[in-house]
Amino acid sequence: MDKLMNELRLNLLGNPDVSIIKDALWQLPIVSYEVSFERVKRFKMDILMKMLLLSFQETEIRRAATLAEMLLVEELFIRDLIDKMERGRLIGLEKNGYKLTAKGYEHLEKGIFEEGMEEEQIVLFYSAVHDKYLLSAGDASTADEEKLSLYRYAAEGTVDWDRMLELLSKQEWGSEENFQIIVTDIADCEESGTVYVPCIEFQLYDKKQDIFYSRVWNGLTDSWDETLEKRIEEQEVVAWREAMAETASH
């Protein structure tokens, strides 16, 4: 961390008009959550499944054997497809035979079929200061091993399952030529602790422009963090200028 701090300092001082008033090293708390979520495999619907759905839509059929005879296909194969469509809630058995559900009509129109998968688990991280969910906590630890102080403008937030689902839905969970894996819902979410991300802060003065500003290197993203910088500037720039004026007057 000292090496990185020196490299950043040299980079900032590459501008001869800029001076560093103060630097500091502290930690940003990030809350971790254990999240269980549901997924499906999405296939392009094959011709036989379309034919079965169209048959159920237009004809009263209760037995797989009837369809097997109509379509000249093995009964066991037909029964397996019917079981899949029932589990996927595309069809339901009524008094007069199998009927398409609303989901069945929708999937038939779109030409897709979704097959349920086992629940998956992942650890997500939430930065209340940024009001943002993340898949990784980057360079973070679960203990305050270096005894660094916490970010002085740390915030609190509440769990938002919809935004977690949005994040997970945007990820690539694996796909092949004939199917795609889609995240459909969050089944459970439990807070599992807090991790701490080291950050490097510089308080700066540009004499040419006569402005005070901050730069904060976020160890989570390995980049300068405008959100953290803006918050510090909003709270402290006036005090920095007053302190410099008081020093100059003595």
Side-chain angles (χ1 to χ4, degrees):
M1 186 60 69
D2 289 340
K3 181 181 178 181
L4 175 60
M5 197 168 187
N6 288 331
E7 290 175 355
L8 296 174
R9 182 184 289 108
L10 289 173
N11 179 266
L12 293 170
L13 293 177
N15 183 343
D17 296 318
V18 171
S19 58
I20 296 175
I21 303 169
K22 181 181 178 181
D23 58 42
L25 183 61
W26 38 261
Q27 295 180 120
L28 181 68
I30 305 288
V31 181
S32 62
Y33 295 93
E34 291 186 4
V35 179
S36 301
F37 59 97
E38 298 173 356
R39 304 172 300 161
V40 295
K41 280 185 179 180
R42 178 174 290 176
F43 300 83
K44 183 177 179 180
M45 191 176 289
D46 61 33
I47 295 298
L48 183 56
M49 185 174 287
K50 286 182 180 179
M51 291 175 66
L52 263 62
L53 289 175
L54 289 170
S55 297
F56 293 141
Q57 182 180 346
E58 298 171 2
T59 311
E60 295 181 355
I61 299 174
R62 293 182 58 88
R63 299 173 60 246
T66 304
L67 269 174
E69 186 176 339
M70 289 172 53
L71 301 174
L72 301 178
V73 178
E74 286 288 340
E75 181 181 344
L76 287 177
F77 192 38
I78 295 294
R79 187 175 299 282
D80 180 62
L81 277 177
I82 290 175
D83 289 343
K84 277 188 177 182
M85 290 189 290
E86 279 193 290
R87 289 196 302 270
R89 299 177 182 176
L90 301 188
I91 60 174
L93 184 58
E94 299 180 4
K95 183 178 180 180
N96 295 326
Y98 287 102
K99 298 296 179 184
L100 271 66
T101 63
K103 182 178 179 180
Y105 279 106
E106 179 186 356
H107 284 212
L108 177 59
E109 182 179 353
K110 293 181 178 178
I112 61 172
F113 172 66
E114 293 178 347
E115 183 178 355
M117 302 176 66
E118 292 184 1
E119 281 188 8
E120 184 67 59
Q121 290 187 327
I122 196 172
V123 176
L124 290 184
F125 300 90
Y126 176 67
S127 172
V129 173
H130 300 83
D131 191 23
K132 187 176 182 179
Y133 289 93
L134 307 150
L135 285 174
S136 169
D139 183 12
S141 63
T142 55
D144 186 9
E145 296 176 356
E146 297 185 63
K147 304 300 180 184
L148 299 176
S149 60
L150 293 180
Y151 177 52
R152 52 196 179 279
Y153 301 114
E156 294 185 1
T158 56
V159 178
D160 189 327
W161 287 33
D162 289 338
R163 290 176 60 200
M164 286 185 176
L165 179 59
E166 181 182 2
L167 173 63
L168 294 173
S169 299
K170 291 179 179 178
Q171 307 308 308
E172 178 63 59
W173 296 104
S175 60
E176 296 184 10
E177 186 176 349
N178 63 334
F179 73 85
Q180 182 182 14
I181 296 176
I182 306 294
V183 176
T184 58
D185 198 11
I186 289 181
D188 192 30
C189 172
E190 293 186 7
E191 183 175 332
S192 57
T194 302
V195 296
Y196 299 90
V197 176
C199 297
I200 302 171
E201 174 189 349
F202 295 94
Q203 298 172 8
L204 305 157
Y205 175 66
D206 186 322
K207 63 182 179 181
K208 184 175 182 179
Q209 301 184 64
D210 188 27
I211 58 171
F212 292 85
Y213 62 101
S214 71
R215 298 307 311 268
V216 176
W217 185 266
N218 188 334
L220 180 66
T221 59
D222 283 330
S223 62
W224 296 113
D225 192 314
E226 292 184 6
T227 299
L228 298 177
E229 293 165 356
K230 183 178 180 180
R231 179 62 174 161
I232 291 171
E233 291 170 358
E234 288 173 346
Q235 298 295 318
E236 301 181 16
V237 162
V238 172
W240 298 348
R241 183 171 292 278
E242 290 176 349
M244 176 170 280
E246 184 176 348
T247 300
S249 65
H250 287 95

